[in-house]
Amino acid sequence: MTELLQVENLQAGLGLYRILHGISFSAREGEVLVLIGRNGAGKTTTLRSIMGLTRILGGRILWQGRPIQGWPPYRIARLGIGYVPEDRGLFRLLTVEENLRLGLRQSRLWRAQLKRVVEIFPDLERLLSQRAGTLSGGQQQMLALARALMGENRLLLVDEPSKGLAPLLVERLAQHLKAMARDTTILLVEQNLPLALQVGDRFAIVEDGRTLHTGPMEELARDRNLQETYLGVKMGEVAR
Amino acid sequence: MNFPLWLNLTLNGLVLGTLYFLTAAGLSLIFGLMHVLNLAHAALFTWGAYAALWTYGATGNFLWALLAGFGAGLFLGLLLEILFIRPTYGKGIVQILLTLGLYMVLVEILKMIWGPSLLGFPVPDFARGTVDLMGLPFARYRIFLLILGGALFLLIYLLLTRTRFGMTVRAGVENPEMVQALGADIRIMFSATFALGAALAAFGGAAAGPFFRVVWPEMGLNMQLAAFIVVVIGGMGSFTGSAVGALVVGLSQAYMGYFFPDWALMANVGLMALVLLWRPQGLFAPGR
């Protein structure tokens, strides 16, 4: 597998406040890489930095070997990188259709892309004329993911998609993410261990703005110590 | 109050509302999207009026005059955004002082070219005279303004709701960061929105020339004051809010101006205060 995105010793922050002190990992074409770590460890800032939404203070971000750190967000997005923020980033006053259209790179692909997205999220088809702000939490999450898919992105940065969703919906979300991962690389920030284990291929642990360890998902599934330390799973809890 | 008088006052209120709407729509969009409180907006209104007067004098064609007003606003808006507003994004107080200074400079330039006095702006031939509205005369030009205002409202409404540019602007008012993350170049969007807002104000100035029958360098100030009231009532960033707010302020101005002329401005300020107490974000404010 070729490396689509490489992050090397990334440092970033807000103003003078440094949040990331040295993040390094690479995402390979076709895989789902899960960033795990405690709250405030720097996972969200890592995604925002890749997307150009946070000031980079050092290190490099390479897209297919080409440095892109310091680029404005719109140029990064046009490379084929989609972003689904933790708050979903929906335009609440716009309709579902308008939200989806804004995800498109080329307007003429609307029908083809909608068909593709509706195959994964069939519920959205009947909601097209509804305002995004009136959707339920689960529907909003579907829309946020669907919008990122509309742009034919090669890499999706998805931040805590399970946050605020009922367990039944998390199960559906896992199915959606797996379907999306068939033809898109995903960099996923996720604290929900069962979901991470179900969809992830590899994981990277982020702690105090640094990456401590990366490995295959099987390792995380086996290692109760890792689960307890970085995901807050207590001994004796069933991971799957 | 008899019906013909009521009708006359209402139509006059709607005409005033049309002029307020043209000034307020741009102000509201610019603030909603870019968080820029543009105090130079009044000068753009006035520049539109002078550009239209000059073109009308040179060509004798009022359509060209209106287009010249629009064009002057578009050009000046683009120039101001690129040279002065762009380097100061995120610096609210600097922008307020800067746009206030720009207002003064733009008005002084007008005075240098055309002088400080009132200049007559003749009503175009096709809209001269009055029509009889149930026994009361009503200026033809005001009917033309109503039609023009309605057509322009529809045009901008379609631009904002049916085009990708409009969709992106509405999305940007809600969440500019996400719009960028979806691949839209926010700088181009800001420039285009600022220029469009400036062009609308200048078009309003051009259309207001024959309404007032004169132009003068400070003519935009009263419009700007009314436009601020409109924007507060309608909600910053809401196009529909600007339209509804403008009609409310225009109608209130017309009724109060007739029955209690000394209280006309007070009524609008009072209306604004009521809205601020009841719904500080304005009647149609987009959520963030």
Side-chain angles (χ1 to χ4, degrees):
Chain A
M1 279 201 285
T2 54
E3 280 169 346
L4 200 58
L5 180 84
Q6 286 164 275
V7 176
E8 295 175 355
N9 193 27
L10 181 66
Q11 296 145 57
L14 296 170
L16 293 173
Y17 184 60
R18 197 174 282 249
I19 299 168
L20 303 185
H21 302 279
I23 297 281
S24 301
F25 61 81
S26 56
R28 299 168 191 156
E29 184 117 47
E31 76 171 352
V32 177
L33 175 67
V34 186
L35 295 186
I36 62 168
R38 295 192 186 96
N39 284 339
K43 306 181 297 290
T44 295
T45 308
T46 302
L47 295 195
R48 288 179 57 83
S49 302
I50 295 168
M51 207 60 225
L53 297 167
T54 306
R55 201 157 72 96
I56 308 286
L57 302 170
R60 296 203 306 167
I61 302 168
L62 304 172
W63 172 255
Q64 295 183 298
R66 182 180 170 199
I68 59 165
Q69 72 277 4
W71 283 23
Y74 76 90
R75 278 188 70 193
I76 293 171
R78 287 176 191 179
L79 289 172
I81 302 179
Y83 177 49
V84 182
E86 196 178 333
D87 66 1
R88 291 155 193 155
L90 294 177
F91 307 112
R92 297 182 304 114
L93 297 178
L94 272 58
T95 62
V96 169
E97 177 174 338
E98 286 173 326
N99 269 278
L100 291 174
R101 279 185 184 274
L102 282 167
L104 271 178
R105 295 268 182 276
Q106 301 171 61
S107 301
R108 64 184 172 80
L109 295 179
W110 164 247
R111 284 189 189 285
Q113 285 299 94
L114 181 67
K115 189 170 169 245
R116 179 179 161 237
V117 162
V118 162
E119 275 171 20
I120 301 174
F121 305 101
D123 290 359
L124 285 181
E125 197 166 18
R126 63 180 173 84
L127 300 170
L128 284 176
S129 58
Q130 202 167 318
R131 278 194 179 188
T134 64
L135 302 180
S136 69
Q139 288 168 334
Q140 287 193 8
Q141 192 55 268
M142 270 195 289
L143 176 57
L145 292 169
R147 186 177 64 186
L149 275 186
M150 292 295 285
E152 296 176 290
N153 291 305
R154 291 182 64 190
L155 171 70
L156 293 184
L157 313 178
V158 185
D159 197 354
E160 295 225 39
S162 71
K163 198 171 181 182
L165 295 188
L168 196 68
L169 291 175
V170 175
E171 185 53 41
R172 278 187 71 188
L173 176 69
Q175 304 306 322
H176 291 322
L177 285 170
K178 277 204 265 190
M180 288 164 73
R182 271 184 232 131
D183 48 10
T184 315
T185 307
I186 298 177
L187 178 55
L188 177 69
V189 165
E190 188 52 69
Q191 285 293 86
N192 183 310
L193 181 62
L195 177 64
L197 290 176
Q198 220 174 324
V199 300
D201 297 306
R202 288 192 308 130
F203 72 97
I205 292 173
V206 179
E207 176 78 354
D208 291 334
R210 291 181 176 82
T211 30
L212 295 186
H213 178 71
T214 57
M217 223 55 199
E218 295 76 28
E219 184 188 337
L220 184 64
R222 276 194 315 268
D223 193 332
R224 283 305 174 95
N225 195 31
L226 276 182
Q227 292 176 15
E228 190 180 11
T229 311
Y230 298 108
L231 288 165
V233 178
K234 292 189 183 74
M235 286 296 180
E237 262 184 353
V238 181
R240 272 184 193 270
Chain B
M1 183 165 61
N2 59 33
F3 182 72
L5 178 63
W6 176 83
L7 182 67
N8 203 293
L9 286 178
T10 304
L11 287 176
N12 272 317
L14 293 179
V15 171
L16 271 178
T18 300
L19 293 177
Y20 293 156
F21 160 69
L22 290 174
T23 318
L27 204 63
S28 175
L29 279 179
I30 290 169
F31 186 84
L33 181 68
M34 301 143 76
H35 288 229
V36 174
L37 197 60
N38 180 21
L39 295 181
H41 213 64
L44 297 164
F45 180 91
T46 315
W47 266 84
Y50 275 84
L53 176 62
W54 184 83
T55 310
Y56 193 33
T59 64
N61 186 324
F62 189 64
L63 179 67
W64 282 117
L66 284 177
L67 288 176
F70 188 86
L74 205 64
F75 173 74
L76 272 176
L78 207 58
L79 202 69
L80 294 186
E81 200 277 334
I82 292 171
L83 291 182
F84 300 104
I85 308 293
R86 194 178 285 182
T88 59
Y89 278 121
K91 299 172 188 161
I93 191 73
V94 173
Q95 275 173 349
I96 288 175
L97 294 173
L98 183 72
T99 54
L100 183 64
L102 285 172
Y103 167 78
M104 291 172 185
V105 171
L106 287 170
V107 167
E108 288 307 311
I109 293 174
L110 279 178
K111 285 182 187 169
M112 280 164 62
I113 302 172
W114 282 286
S117 318
L118 300 173
L119 295 176
F121 198 138
V123 177
D125 286 342
F126 70 87
R128 282 217 177 116
T130 57
V131 291
D132 186 71
L133 263 185
M134 297 177 163
L136 286 174
F138 192 76
R140 280 178 202 273
Y141 187 73
R142 295 186 177 210
I143 296 174
F144 169 72
L145 270 185
L146 281 178
I147 298 168
L148 190 70
L152 214 64
F153 171 81
L154 199 68
L155 211 65
I156 305 166
Y157 180 79
L158 290 175
L159 175 78
L160 286 175
T161 55
R162 298 280 187 274
T163 67
R164 188 169 173 97
F165 169 75
M167 211 158 62
T168 313
V169 168
R170 285 185 295 130
V173 169
E174 267 195 71
N175 190 343
E177 189 177 83
M178 199 60 219
V179 165
Q180 292 184 78
L182 287 170
D185 185 349
I186 203 96
R187 283 179 317 170
I188 292 178
M189 240 174 76
F190 278 8
S191 299
T193 306
F194 197 90
L196 178 69
L200 282 178
F203 188 84
F211 174 78
F212 293 126
R213 312 266 174 126
V214 284
V215 296
W216 68 101
E218 286 87 11
M219 70 186 285
L221 265 188
N222 281 343
M223 279 296 156
Q224 181 159 289
L225 179 63
F228 274 125
I229 295 175
V230 165
V231 169
V232 170
I233 291 175
M236 288 281 191
S238 166
F239 175 73
T240 315
S242 297
V244 174
L247 294 185
V248 168
V249 171
L251 287 171
S252 138
Q253 189 88 3
Y255 294 135
M256 293 298 287
Y258 184 81
F259 293 108
F260 311 99
D262 293 340
W263 293 82
L265 180 63
M266 185 72 176
N268 281 334
V269 175
L271 208 62
M272 179 176 76
L274 275 180
V275 171
L276 279 174
L277 284 172
W278 172 51
R279 217 175 130 80
Q281 72 275 35
L283 299 177
F284 293 83
R288 271 190 188 276

